[in-house]
Amino acid sequence: MMRLTGRALRVTIFVGESDTWHHKPLYSEIVHRAHRVGLAGASVFRGIEGFGASSLIHTSRLLSLSEDLPVAIVIVDAEERVRAFLPQLDELVTEGLVILDDCEVIRYVGREAEA
């Protein structure tokens, strides 16, 4: 069972839903790589509206449906583990925004693996 409490580092990656890595969604590649290196967890959140460096507004509203909605991938773990993962993000994220925030984990308890 994994436990994480106290000071931690949160990395948030903002990309477009249609961004890909070798014909696969970029957000999925980031999550799978984070899992492979044993980070505490990763979650993907789909935005309903937003814009980035291009200043083009992407929205899910019916009259202006976008196939490239904003996506945020959030990963929280111990600082040294997150920083060790950053070179992979440098490789993967060619357009987007990567931010780091100090945070405090109050409670994180993983589930027991089922037999």
Side-chain angles (χ1 to χ4, degrees):
M1 180 182 328
M2 177 179 236
R3 291 182 185 269
L4 176 66
T5 57
R7 293 182 49 82
L9 197 61
R10 174 178 53 206
V11 59
T12 306
I13 306 105
F14 296 95
V15 296
E17 185 178 33
S18 66
D19 292 346
T20 60
W21 178 260
H22 297 284
H23 310 290
K24 178 175 157 181
L26 177 58
Y27 60 84
S28 181
E29 181 67 18
I30 293 170
V31 168
H32 283 86
R33 285 193 186 196
H35 183 259
R36 262 196 311 270
V37 300
L39 292 175
S43 297
V44 179
F45 301 94
R46 184 180 194 213
I48 58 171
E49 190 165 27
F51 72 94
S54 70
S55 293
L56 180 63
I57 293 180
H58 302 274
T59 180
S60 64
R61 284 182 282 141
L62 188 59
L63 295 177
S64 50
L65 283 176
S66 174
E67 293 182 7
D68 191 25
L69 291 170
V71 173
I73 306 103
V74 179
I75 301 168
V76 177
D77 206 325
E79 181 175 358
E80 60 276 4
R81 295 172 56 81
V82 170
R83 290 198 182 276
F85 187 66
L86 293 180
Q88 292 200 49
L89 295 178
D90 284 340
E91 174 189 0
L92 294 169
V93 181
T94 58
E95 289 183 8
L97 174 65
V98 178
I99 61 172
L100 293 172
D101 298 298
D102 290 321
C103 62
E104 183 177 357
V105 175
I106 303 301
R107 179 173 170 78
Y108 173 78
V109 181
R111 286 190 198 140
E112 295 283 343
E114 294 184 21

